[in-house]
Amino acid sequence: MAVEKTLSIIKPDGVAKNIIGKIISRFESQGFCIAAMRMQKLSLQEAEGFYAEHRERAFFADLVKYMTSGPVILMVLEGEDAVAKNREIMGATDPKKAAEGTLRRDFADSIEANVVHGSDSPQSACREVSYFFRKSEILRPCCGGQCGCKS
């Protein structure tokens, strides 16, 4: 297994529920280093740009509206096989189909309000991390540059 970086977002519903610490604790207890983190309210342009690959899908406008409805927590997680491990910790997009003990099973209300986002591939992780974070903002590089994200 390789050390990787991945983007994780605690979405507006997770922030509103005041479960930021619970979510971060799960990541840390599973061996992740938090290499960068900040709270931010996404602008319309930031959300549209981030989700641009979904622009033609019917849910795009609702997704952008939801992601700009309140503050989010943006994080760069780093660890062994980070992309796959993060997706395992998050659980299925539909919380009703998510495994017991996953973030979405435990905290999400619906497919739309599903508490967290995580990169779906190492390539997406590189793109997503660099979308929100400059190299100089990633302050805890545990991987020594092994992940390929140039940070």
Side-chain angles (χ1 to χ4, degrees):
M1 284 192 258
V3 175
E4 299 174 327
K5 287 183 178 71
T6 190
L7 184 77
S8 178
I9 302 175
I10 302 176
K11 295 180 177 182
D13 60 308
V15 174
K17 289 178 181 180
N18 202 30
I19 56 172
I20 296 166
K22 290 178 182 180
I23 293 171
I24 291 171
S25 177
R26 295 241 190 136
F27 290 134
E28 289 179 327
S29 71
Q30 294 297 312
F32 281 108
C33 292
I34 298 176
M37 180 171 63
R38 74 169 170 273
M39 181 181 277
Q40 177 177 329
K41 188 166 188 310
L42 299 181
S43 70
L44 181 64
Q45 294 76 20
E46 287 169 325
E48 287 177 341
F50 184 71
Y51 289 108
E53 65 190 80
H54 301 299
R55 187 173 299 281
E56 302 304 319
R57 297 194 174 160
F59 62 82
F60 179 75
D62 288 337
L63 176 60
V64 168
K65 182 177 178 181
Y66 162 64
M67 290 301 292
T68 59
S69 67
V72 299
I73 302 294
L74 302 165
M75 293 182 285
V76 178
L77 302 177
E78 188 172 78
E80 293 284 331
D81 202 23
V83 174
K85 192 173 184 179
N86 182 35
R87 296 192 68 74
E88 184 180 314
I89 293 167
M90 288 189 313
T93 303
D94 182 348
K96 293 175 187 168
K97 296 178 181 175
E100 290 290 331
T102 62
L103 292 171
R104 288 176 172 154
R105 179 66 174 253
D106 292 348
F107 301 120
D109 294 325
S110 66
I111 291 174
E112 293 79 23
N114 63 11
V115 181
V116 287
H117 164 89
S119 305
D120 63 6
S121 71
Q123 296 77 18
S124 291
C126 284
R127 178 182 54 78
E128 292 180 356
V129 165
S130 66
Y131 188 84
F132 287 114
F133 292 93
R134 294 184 312 273
K135 181 179 177 181
S136 63
E137 294 177 301
I138 301 173
L139 303 176
R140 188 171 176 185
C142 307
C143 73
Q146 298 172 25
C147 74
C149 287
K150 301 173 191 160
S151 50

PDB file of all heavy atoms in Angstrom, residues 1-7 31-35 76-87 119-123 125-126 129 140-149 151:
ATOM      1  N   MET A   1       0.837  -1.192   0.000  1.00  0.00           N
ATOM      2  CA  MET A   1       0.000   0.000   0.000  1.00  0.00           C
ATOM      3  C   MET A   1       0.873   1.243   0.000  1.00  0.00           C
ATOM      4  O   MET A   1       1.901   1.286   0.644  1.00  0.00           O
ATOM      5  CB  MET A   1      -0.908   0.040   1.220  1.00  0.00           C
ATOM      6  CG  MET A   1      -2.084  -0.887   1.149  1.00  0.00           C
ATOM      7  SD  MET A   1      -3.271  -0.539   2.452  1.00  0.00           S
ATOM      8  CE  MET A   1      -2.849  -1.863   3.571  1.00  0.00           C
ATOM      9  N   ALA A   2       0.392   2.255  -0.695  1.00  0.00           N
ATOM     10  CA  ALA A   2       1.123   3.520  -0.797  1.00  0.00           C
ATOM     11  C   ALA A   2       0.487   4.572   0.093  1.00  0.00           C
ATOM     12  O   ALA A   2      -0.716   4.559   0.343  1.00  0.00           O
ATOM     13  CB  ALA A   2       1.113   4.000  -2.239  1.00  0.00           C
ATOM     14  N   VAL A   3       1.307   5.486   0.556  1.00  0.00           N
ATOM     15  CA  VAL A   3       0.805   6.645   1.290  1.00  0.00           C
ATOM     16  C   VAL A   3       0.234   7.605   0.260  1.00  0.00           C
ATOM     17  O   VAL A   3       0.863   7.893  -0.752  1.00  0.00           O
ATOM     18  CB  VAL A   3       1.917   7.320   2.112  1.00  0.00           C
ATOM     19  CG1 VAL A   3       1.414   8.588   2.774  1.00  0.00           C
ATOM     20  CG2 VAL A   3       2.451   6.358   3.157  1.00  0.00           C
ATOM     21  N   GLU A   4      -0.997   8.056   0.492  1.00  0.00           N
ATOM     22  CA  GLU A   4      -1.701   8.949  -0.438  1.00  0.00           C
ATOM     23  C   GLU A   4      -2.300  10.116   0.338  1.00  0.00           C
ATOM     24  O   GLU A   4      -2.449  10.061   1.551  1.00  0.00           O
ATOM     25  CB  GLU A   4      -2.872   8.224  -1.119  1.00  0.00           C
ATOM     26  CG  GLU A   4      -2.533   7.042  -1.951  1.00  0.00           C
ATOM     27  CD  GLU A   4      -3.772   6.320  -2.463  1.00  0.00           C
ATOM     28  OE1 GLU A   4      -4.814   6.280  -1.764  1.00  0.00           O
ATOM     29  OE2 GLU A   4      -3.672   5.770  -3.568  1.00  0.00           O
ATOM     30  N   LYS A   5      -2.688  11.118  -0.433  1.00  0.00           N
ATOM     31  CA  LYS A   5      -3.506  12.215   0.074  1.00  0.00           C
ATOM     32  C   LYS A   5      -4.881  12.082  -0.556  1.00  0.00           C
ATOM     33  O   LYS A   5      -5.016  11.605  -1.679  1.00  0.00           O
ATOM     34  CB  LYS A   5      -2.912  13.562  -0.311  1.00  0.00           C
ATOM     35  CG  LYS A   5      -1.668  13.946   0.442  1.00  0.00           C
ATOM     36  CD  LYS A   5      -1.220  15.339   0.013  1.00  0.00           C
ATOM     37  CE  LYS A   5      -0.011  15.785   0.784  1.00  0.00           C
ATOM     38  NZ  LYS A   5       1.201  15.054   0.411  1.00  0.00           N
ATOM     39  N   THR A   6      -5.890  12.546   0.152  1.00  0.00           N
ATOM     40  CA  THR A   6      -7.238  12.588  -0.382  1.00  0.00           C
ATOM     41  C   THR A   6      -7.950  13.808   0.196  1.00  0.00           C
ATOM     42  O   THR A   6      -7.601  14.284   1.284  1.00  0.00           O
ATOM     43  CB  THR A   6      -8.024  11.296  -0.074  1.00  0.00           C
ATOM     44  OG1 THR A   6      -9.254  11.282  -0.815  1.00  0.00           O
ATOM     45  CG2 THR A   6      -8.318  11.127   1.399  1.00  0.00           C
ATOM     46  N   LEU A   7      -8.921  14.320  -0.548  1.00  0.00           N
ATOM     47  CA  LEU A   7      -9.717  15.432  -0.043  1.00  0.00           C
ATOM     48  C   LEU A   7     -10.916  14.876   0.696  1.00  0.00           C
ATOM     49  O   LEU A   7     -11.553  13.922   0.245  1.00  0.00           O
ATOM     50  CB  LEU A   7     -10.208  16.333  -1.184  1.00  0.00           C
ATOM     51  CG  LEU A   7     -10.964  17.567  -0.677  1.00  0.00           C
ATOM     52  CD1 LEU A   7      -9.993  18.613  -0.152  1.00  0.00           C
ATOM     53  CD2 LEU A   7     -11.835  18.158  -1.757  1.00  0.00           C
ATOM     54  N   GLY A  31      -5.975   6.136  11.527  1.00  0.00           N
ATOM     55  CA  GLY A  31      -4.603   6.297  11.086  1.00  0.00           C
ATOM     56  C   GLY A  31      -4.326   7.437  10.132  1.00  0.00           C
ATOM     57  O   GLY A  31      -3.201   7.585   9.655  1.00  0.00           O
ATOM     58  N   PHE A  32      -5.325   8.266   9.849  1.00  0.00           N
ATOM     59  CA  PHE A  32      -5.094   9.402   8.967  1.00  0.00           C
ATOM     60  C   PHE A  32      -4.360  10.530   9.687  1.00  0.00           C
ATOM     61  O   PHE A  32      -4.609  10.788  10.865  1.00  0.00           O
ATOM     62  CB  PHE A  32      -6.410   9.982   8.440  1.00  0.00           C
ATOM     63  CG  PHE A  32      -7.005   9.213   7.314  1.00  0.00           C
ATOM     64  CD1 PHE A  32      -8.140   8.445   7.501  1.00  0.00           C
ATOM     65  CD2 PHE A  32      -6.441   9.244   6.047  1.00  0.00           C
ATOM     66  CE1 PHE A  32      -8.701   7.731   6.467  1.00  0.00           C
ATOM     67  CE2 PHE A  32      -6.997   8.532   4.999  1.00  0.00           C
ATOM     68  CZ  PHE A  32      -8.127   7.772   5.214  1.00  0.00           C
ATOM     69  N   CYS A  33      -3.478  11.204   8.965  1.00  0.00           N
ATOM     70  CA  CYS A  33      -2.916  12.485   9.388  1.00  0.00           C
ATOM     71  C   CYS A  33      -3.756  13.562   8.707  1.00  0.00           C
ATOM     72  O   CYS A  33      -4.129  13.407   7.540  1.00  0.00           O
ATOM     73  CB  CYS A  33      -1.480  12.654   8.893  1.00  0.00           C
ATOM     74  SG  CYS A  33      -0.300  11.558   9.638  1.00  0.00           S
ATOM     75  N   ILE A  34      -4.058  14.622   9.417  1.00  0.00           N
ATOM     76  CA  ILE A  34      -4.719  15.762   8.783  1.00  0.00           C
ATOM     77  C   ILE A  34      -3.605  16.705   8.359  1.00  0.00           C
ATOM     78  O   ILE A  34      -2.953  17.328   9.184  1.00  0.00           O
ATOM     79  CB  ILE A  34      -5.728  16.429   9.716  1.00  0.00           C
ATOM     80  CG1 ILE A  34      -6.826  15.421  10.076  1.00  0.00           C
ATOM     81  CG2 ILE A  34      -6.315  17.683   9.056  1.00  0.00           C
ATOM     82  CD1 ILE A  34      -7.832  15.914  11.066  1.00  0.00           C
ATOM     83  N   ALA A  35      -3.370  16.758   7.060  1.00  0.00           N
ATOM     84  CA  ALA A  35      -2.267  17.539   6.502  1.00  0.00           C
ATOM     85  C   ALA A  35      -2.650  18.999   6.287  1.00  0.00           C
ATOM     86  O   ALA A  35      -1.777  19.864   6.235  1.00  0.00           O
ATOM     87  CB  ALA A  35      -1.796  16.919   5.191  1.00  0.00           C
ATOM     88  N   VAL A  76      -7.352  17.872   3.954  1.00  0.00           N
ATOM     89  CA  VAL A  76      -6.483  16.964   3.225  1.00  0.00           C
ATOM     90  C   VAL A  76      -6.095  15.879   4.212  1.00  0.00           C
ATOM     91  O   VAL A  76      -5.470  16.165   5.242  1.00  0.00           O
ATOM     92  CB  VAL A  76      -5.219  17.664   2.679  1.00  0.00           C
ATOM     93  CG1 VAL A  76      -4.327  16.660   1.961  1.00  0.00           C
ATOM     94  CG2 VAL A  76      -5.605  18.812   1.747  1.00  0.00           C
ATOM     95  N   LEU A  77      -6.530  14.671   3.928  1.00  0.00           N
ATOM     96  CA  LEU A  77      -6.185  13.521   4.758  1.00  0.00           C
ATOM     97  C   LEU A  77      -5.047  12.781   4.094  1.00  0.00           C
ATOM     98  O   LEU A  77      -5.007  12.653   2.868  1.00  0.00           O
ATOM     99  CB  LEU A  77      -7.385  12.577   4.906  1.00  0.00           C
ATOM    100  CG  LEU A  77      -8.661  13.167   5.496  1.00  0.00           C
ATOM    101  CD1 LEU A  77      -9.760  12.113   5.499  1.00  0.00           C
ATOM    102  CD2 LEU A  77      -8.416  13.715   6.878  1.00  0.00           C
ATOM    103  N   GLU A  78      -4.164  12.256   4.896  1.00  0.00           N
ATOM    104  CA  GLU A  78      -3.020  11.541   4.350  1.00  0.00           C
ATOM    105  C   GLU A  78      -2.830  10.258   5.133  1.00  0.00           C
ATOM    106  O   GLU A  78      -2.953  10.239   6.359  1.00  0.00           O
ATOM    107  CB  GLU A  78      -1.787  12.430   4.459  1.00  0.00           C
ATOM    108  CG  GLU A  78      -0.584  11.886   3.749  1.00  0.00           C
ATOM    109  CD  GLU A  78       0.537  12.903   3.719  1.00  0.00           C
ATOM    110  OE1 GLU A  78       1.204  13.064   4.747  1.00  0.00           O
ATOM    111  OE2 GLU A  78       0.725  13.545   2.673  1.00  0.00           O
ATOM    112  N   GLY A  79      -2.555   9.174   4.405  1.00  0.00           N
ATOM    113  CA  GLY A  79      -2.313   7.898   5.052  1.00  0.00           C
ATOM    114  C   GLY A  79      -2.185   6.785   4.041  1.00  0.00           C
ATOM    115  O   GLY A  79      -2.301   7.003   2.828  1.00  0.00           O
ATOM    116  N   GLU A  80      -1.977   5.589   4.528  1.00  0.00           N
ATOM    117  CA  GLU A  80      -1.874   4.412   3.672  1.00  0.00           C
ATOM    118  C   GLU A  80      -3.191   4.209   2.923  1.00  0.00           C
ATOM    119  O   GLU A  80      -4.254   4.188   3.540  1.00  0.00           O
ATOM    120  CB  GLU A  80      -1.583   3.160   4.518  1.00  0.00           C
ATOM    121  CG  GLU A  80      -0.243   3.141   5.179  1.00  0.00           C
ATOM    122  CD  GLU A  80       0.879   2.821   4.205  1.00  0.00           C
ATOM    123  OE1 GLU A  80       0.644   2.107   3.215  1.00  0.00           O
ATOM    124  OE2 GLU A  80       2.003   3.296   4.456  1.00  0.00           O
ATOM    125  N   ASP A  81      -3.105   4.101   1.608  1.00  0.00           N
ATOM    126  CA  ASP A  81      -4.274   3.820   0.767  1.00  0.00           C
ATOM    127  C   ASP A  81      -5.444   4.752   1.115  1.00  0.00           C
ATOM    128  O   ASP A  81      -6.585   4.326   1.277  1.00  0.00           O
ATOM    129  CB  ASP A  81      -4.668   2.350   0.925  1.00  0.00           C
ATOM    130  CG  ASP A  81      -5.468   1.816  -0.236  1.00  0.00           C
ATOM    131  OD1 ASP A  81      -5.387   2.382  -1.347  1.00  0.00           O
ATOM    132  OD2 ASP A  81      -6.192   0.827  -0.038  1.00  0.00           O
ATOM    133  N   ALA A  82      -5.125   6.049   1.252  1.00  0.00           N
ATOM    134  CA  ALA A  82      -6.056   7.040   1.798  1.00  0.00           C
ATOM    135  C   ALA A  82      -7.377   7.138   1.042  1.00  0.00           C
ATOM    136  O   ALA A  82      -8.427   7.280   1.661  1.00  0.00           O
ATOM    137  CB  ALA A  82      -5.391   8.414   1.854  1.00  0.00           C
ATOM    138  N   VAL A  83      -7.349   7.070  -0.281  1.00  0.00           N
ATOM    139  CA  VAL A  83      -8.588   7.243  -1.046  1.00  0.00           C
ATOM    140  C   VAL A  83      -9.571   6.129  -0.714  1.00  0.00           C
ATOM    141  O   VAL A  83     -10.725   6.384  -0.337  1.00  0.00           O
ATOM    142  CB  VAL A  83      -8.293   7.312  -2.560  1.00  0.00           C
ATOM    143  CG1 VAL A  83      -9.581   7.334  -3.362  1.00  0.00           C
ATOM    144  CG2 VAL A  83      -7.444   8.543  -2.890  1.00  0.00           C
ATOM    145  N   ALA A  84      -9.133   4.889  -0.835  1.00  0.00           N
ATOM    146  CA  ALA A  84     -10.021   3.745  -0.585  1.00  0.00           C
ATOM    147  C   ALA A  84     -10.436   3.685   0.895  1.00  0.00           C
ATOM    148  O   ALA A  84     -11.599   3.408   1.205  1.00  0.00           O
ATOM    149  CB  ALA A  84      -9.341   2.450  -1.005  1.00  0.00           C
ATOM    150  N   LYS A  85      -9.494   3.946   1.774  1.00  0.00           N
ATOM    151  CA  LYS A  85      -9.797   3.885   3.202  1.00  0.00           C
ATOM    152  C   LYS A  85     -10.812   4.953   3.601  1.00  0.00           C
ATOM    153  O   LYS A  85     -11.735   4.686   4.376  1.00  0.00           O
ATOM    154  CB  LYS A  85      -8.503   4.051   4.002  1.00  0.00           C
ATOM    155  CG  LYS A  85      -8.624   3.740   5.459  1.00  0.00           C
ATOM    156  CD  LYS A  85      -7.234   3.769   6.087  1.00  0.00           C
ATOM    157  CE  LYS A  85      -7.263   3.371   7.533  1.00  0.00           C
ATOM    158  NZ  LYS A  85      -5.910   3.376   8.107  1.00  0.00           N
ATOM    159  N   ASN A  86     -10.662   6.164   3.056  1.00  0.00           N
ATOM    160  CA  ASN A  86     -11.625   7.226   3.339  1.00  0.00           C
ATOM    161  C   ASN A  86     -13.019   6.834   2.847  1.00  0.00           C
ATOM    162  O   ASN A  86     -14.006   7.034   3.547  1.00  0.00           O
ATOM    163  CB  ASN A  86     -11.177   8.540   2.705  1.00  0.00           C
ATOM    164  CG  ASN A  86     -12.127   9.686   3.002  1.00  0.00           C
ATOM    165  OD1 ASN A  86     -12.705   9.771   4.075  1.00  0.00           O
ATOM    166  ND2 ASN A  86     -12.282  10.564   2.040  1.00  0.00           N
ATOM    167  N   ARG A  87     -13.092   6.254   1.669  1.00  0.00           N
ATOM    168  CA  ARG A  87     -14.393   5.866   1.125  1.00  0.00           C
ATOM    169  C   ARG A  87     -15.030   4.771   1.976  1.00  0.00           C
ATOM    170  O   ARG A  87     -16.241   4.752   2.170  1.00  0.00           O
ATOM    171  CB  ARG A  87     -14.254   5.472  -0.334  1.00  0.00           C
ATOM    172  CG  ARG A  87     -13.796   6.690  -1.173  1.00  0.00           C
ATOM    173  CD  ARG A  87     -13.890   6.496  -2.649  1.00  0.00           C
ATOM    174  NE  ARG A  87     -15.263   6.412  -3.129  1.00  0.00           N
ATOM    175  CZ  ARG A  87     -16.101   7.442  -3.242  1.00  0.00           C
ATOM    176  NH1 ARG A  87     -15.714   8.655  -2.899  1.00  0.00           N
ATOM    177  NH2 ARG A  87     -17.316   7.262  -3.713  1.00  0.00           N
ATOM    178  N   SER A 119     -12.703  12.043  -2.159  1.00  0.00           N
ATOM    179  CA  SER A 119     -12.217  11.786  -3.517  1.00  0.00           C
ATOM    180  C   SER A 119     -12.479  10.324  -3.892  1.00  0.00           C
ATOM    181  O   SER A 119     -12.391   9.440  -3.051  1.00  0.00           O
ATOM    182  CB  SER A 119     -10.723  12.073  -3.612  1.00  0.00           C
ATOM    183  OG  SER A 119     -10.427  13.375  -3.195  1.00  0.00           O
ATOM    184  N   ASP A 120     -12.773  10.095  -5.178  1.00  0.00           N
ATOM    185  CA  ASP A 120     -13.107   8.728  -5.602  1.00  0.00           C
ATOM    186  C   ASP A 120     -11.964   7.985  -6.290  1.00  0.00           C
ATOM    187  O   ASP A 120     -12.118   6.822  -6.644  1.00  0.00           O
ATOM    188  CB  ASP A 120     -14.355   8.725  -6.481  1.00  0.00           C
ATOM    189  CG  ASP A 120     -14.192   9.477  -7.779  1.00  0.00           C
ATOM    190  OD1 ASP A 120     -13.074   9.930  -8.095  1.00  0.00           O
ATOM    191  OD2 ASP A 120     -15.205   9.621  -8.501  1.00  0.00           O
ATOM    192  N   SER A 121     -10.826   8.629  -6.483  1.00  0.00           N
ATOM    193  CA  SER A 121      -9.667   7.984  -7.092  1.00  0.00           C
ATOM    194  C   SER A 121      -8.428   8.808  -6.744  1.00  0.00           C
ATOM    195  O   SER A 121      -8.545   9.986  -6.404  1.00  0.00           O
ATOM    196  CB  SER A 121      -9.822   7.895  -8.611  1.00  0.00           C
ATOM    197  OG  SER A 121      -9.706   9.184  -9.191  1.00  0.00           O
ATOM    198  N   PRO A 122      -7.251   8.211  -6.857  1.00  0.00           N
ATOM    199  CA  PRO A 122      -6.038   9.010  -6.619  1.00  0.00           C
ATOM    200  C   PRO A 122      -5.926  10.205  -7.567  1.00  0.00           C
ATOM    201  O   PRO A 122      -5.471  11.273  -7.154  1.00  0.00           O
ATOM    202  CB  PRO A 122      -4.909   8.001  -6.838  1.00  0.00           C
ATOM    203  CG  PRO A 122      -5.517   6.681  -6.497  1.00  0.00           C
ATOM    204  CD  PRO A 122      -6.944   6.784  -7.002  1.00  0.00           C
ATOM    205  N   GLN A 123      -6.369  10.047  -8.802  1.00  0.00           N
ATOM    206  CA  GLN A 123      -6.327  11.155  -9.756  1.00  0.00           C
ATOM    207  C   GLN A 123      -7.285  12.271  -9.332  1.00  0.00           C
ATOM    208  O   GLN A 123      -6.927  13.449  -9.372  1.00  0.00           O
ATOM    209  CB  GLN A 123      -6.674  10.659 -11.169  1.00  0.00           C
ATOM    210  CG  GLN A 123      -5.685   9.669 -11.732  1.00  0.00           C
ATOM    211  CD  GLN A 123      -5.827   8.248 -11.169  1.00  0.00           C
ATOM    212  OE1 GLN A 123      -6.846   7.857 -10.600  1.00  0.00           O
ATOM    213  NE2 GLN A 123      -4.769   7.466 -11.315  1.00  0.00           N
ATOM    214  N   ALA A 125      -8.260  12.793  -6.318  1.00  0.00           N
ATOM    215  CA  ALA A 125      -7.711  13.360  -5.086  1.00  0.00           C
ATOM    216  C   ALA A 125      -6.699  14.453  -5.395  1.00  0.00           C
ATOM    217  O   ALA A 125      -6.739  15.528  -4.784  1.00  0.00           O
ATOM    218  CB  ALA A 125      -7.076  12.257  -4.240  1.00  0.00           C
ATOM    219  N   CYS A 126      -5.805  14.209  -6.335  1.00  0.00           N
ATOM    220  CA  CYS A 126      -4.813  15.232  -6.700  1.00  0.00           C
ATOM    221  C   CYS A 126      -5.494  16.489  -7.210  1.00  0.00           C
ATOM    222  O   CYS A 126      -5.154  17.600  -6.818  1.00  0.00           O
ATOM    223  CB  CYS A 126      -3.844  14.690  -7.747  1.00  0.00           C
ATOM    224  SG  CYS A 126      -2.629  13.560  -7.064  1.00  0.00           S
ATOM    225  N   VAL A 129      -7.580  18.115  -4.158  1.00  0.00           N
ATOM    226  CA  VAL A 129      -6.709  18.742  -3.163  1.00  0.00           C
ATOM    227  C   VAL A 129      -6.190  20.069  -3.695  1.00  0.00           C
ATOM    228  O   VAL A 129      -6.245  21.100  -3.020  1.00  0.00           O
ATOM    229  CB  VAL A 129      -5.549  17.801  -2.752  1.00  0.00           C
ATOM    230  CG1 VAL A 129      -4.461  18.569  -2.007  1.00  0.00           C
ATOM    231  CG2 VAL A 129      -6.072  16.642  -1.908  1.00  0.00           C
ATOM    232  N   ARG A 140       1.429  19.289   6.914  1.00  0.00           N
ATOM    233  CA  ARG A 140       1.858  18.061   7.562  1.00  0.00           C
ATOM    234  C   ARG A 140       2.018  16.962   6.508  1.00  0.00           C
ATOM    235  O   ARG A 140       1.207  16.045   6.424  1.00  0.00           O
ATOM    236  CB  ARG A 140       0.844  17.636   8.615  1.00  0.00           C
ATOM    237  CG  ARG A 140       1.344  16.489   9.447  1.00  0.00           C
ATOM    238  CD  ARG A 140       0.443  16.206  10.610  1.00  0.00           C
ATOM    239  NE  ARG A 140       0.954  15.030  11.295  1.00  0.00           N
ATOM    240  CZ  ARG A 140       0.353  14.463  12.298  1.00  0.00           C
ATOM    241  NH1 ARG A 140      -0.767  14.956  12.746  1.00  0.00           N
ATOM    242  NH2 ARG A 140       0.863  13.398  12.857  1.00  0.00           N
ATOM    243  N   PRO A 141       3.040  17.054   5.698  1.00  0.00           N
ATOM    244  CA  PRO A 141       3.229  16.052   4.637  1.00  0.00           C
ATOM    245  C   PRO A 141       3.839  14.762   5.193  1.00  0.00           C
ATOM    246  O   PRO A 141       5.045  14.638   5.311  1.00  0.00           O
ATOM    247  CB  PRO A 141       4.152  16.748   3.652  1.00  0.00           C
ATOM    248  CG  PRO A 141       4.928  17.698   4.496  1.00  0.00           C
ATOM    249  CD  PRO A 141       4.019  18.126   5.611  1.00  0.00           C
ATOM    250  N   CYS A 142       2.982  13.829   5.580  1.00  0.00           N
ATOM    251  CA  CYS A 142       3.449  12.569   6.162  1.00  0.00           C
ATOM    252  C   CYS A 142       4.090  11.659   5.122  1.00  0.00           C
ATOM    253  O   CYS A 142       4.863  10.782   5.454  1.00  0.00           O
ATOM    254  CB  CYS A 142       2.286  11.803   6.784  1.00  0.00           C
ATOM    255  SG  CYS A 142       1.299  12.731   7.953  1.00  0.00           S
ATOM    256  N   CYS A 143       3.758  11.858   3.853  1.00  0.00           N
ATOM    257  CA  CYS A 143       4.167  10.891   2.834  1.00  0.00           C
ATOM    258  C   CYS A 143       5.540  11.169   2.245  1.00  0.00           C
ATOM    259  O   CYS A 143       6.053  10.363   1.484  1.00  0.00           O
ATOM    260  CB  CYS A 143       3.148  10.847   1.705  1.00  0.00           C
ATOM    261  SG  CYS A 143       3.192  12.296   0.630  1.00  0.00           S
ATOM    262  N   GLY A 144       6.134  12.302   2.548  1.00  0.00           N
ATOM    263  CA  GLY A 144       7.435  12.611   1.972  1.00  0.00           C
ATOM    264  C   GLY A 144       7.393  12.746   0.458  1.00  0.00           C
ATOM    265  O   GLY A 144       8.363  12.466  -0.215  1.00  0.00           O
ATOM    266  N   GLY A 145       6.250  13.163  -0.084  1.00  0.00           N
ATOM    267  CA  GLY A 145       6.130  13.359  -1.526  1.00  0.00           C
ATOM    268  C   GLY A 145       5.815  12.095  -2.304  1.00  0.00           C
ATOM    269  O   GLY A 145       5.789  12.102  -3.520  1.00  0.00           O
ATOM    270  N   GLN A 146       5.527  10.990  -1.620  1.00  0.00           N
ATOM    271  CA  GLN A 146       5.286   9.713  -2.293  1.00  0.00           C
ATOM    272  C   GLN A 146       3.925   9.624  -2.974  1.00  0.00           C
ATOM    273  O   GLN A 146       3.719   8.742  -3.802  1.00  0.00           O
ATOM    274  CB  GLN A 146       5.390   8.561  -1.290  1.00  0.00           C
ATOM    275  CG  GLN A 146       6.749   8.421  -0.663  1.00  0.00           C
ATOM    276  CD  GLN A 146       6.722   7.396   0.452  1.00  0.00           C
ATOM    277  OE1 GLN A 146       5.898   6.511   0.468  1.00  0.00           O
ATOM    278  NE2 GLN A 146       7.648   7.548   1.388  1.00  0.00           N
ATOM    279  N   CYS A 147       2.998  10.501  -2.636  1.00  0.00           N
ATOM    280  CA  CYS A 147       1.639  10.346  -3.148  1.00  0.00           C
ATOM    281  C   CYS A 147       1.463  10.887  -4.556  1.00  0.00           C
ATOM    282  O   CYS A 147       0.446  10.633  -5.184  1.00  0.00           O
ATOM    283  CB  CYS A 147       0.641  11.013  -2.211  1.00  0.00           C
ATOM    284  SG  CYS A 147       0.678  12.802  -2.305  1.00  0.00           S
ATOM    285  N   GLY A 148       2.417  11.632  -5.055  1.00  0.00           N
ATOM    286  CA  GLY A 148       2.316  12.150  -6.415  1.00  0.00           C
ATOM    287  C   GLY A 148       1.579  13.474  -6.527  1.00  0.00           C
ATOM    288  O   GLY A 148       1.396  13.976  -7.625  1.00  0.00           O
ATOM    289  N   CYS A 149       1.148  14.052  -5.425  1.00  0.00           N
ATOM    290  CA  CYS A 149       0.389  15.306  -5.472  1.00  0.00           C
ATOM    291  C   CYS A 149       1.268  16.539  -5.465  1.00  0.00           C
ATOM    292  O   CYS A 149       0.752  17.651  -5.368  1.00  0.00           O
ATOM    293  CB  CYS A 149      -0.602  15.378  -4.322  1.00  0.00           C
ATOM    294  SG  CYS A 149      -2.004  14.282  -4.541  1.00  0.00           S
ATOM    295  N   SER A 151       3.023  17.905  -3.291  1.00  0.00           N
ATOM    296  CA  SER A 151       2.923  18.758  -2.108  1.00  0.00           C
ATOM    297  C   SER A 151       3.656  18.194  -0.933  1.00  0.00           C
ATOM    298  O   SER A 151       3.791  17.113  -0.617  1.00  0.00           O
ATOM    299  CB  SER A 151       1.470  19.023  -1.747  1.00  0.00           C
ATOM    300  OG  SER A 151       0.717  17.861  -1.681  1.00  0.00           O
TER     301      SER A 151
END
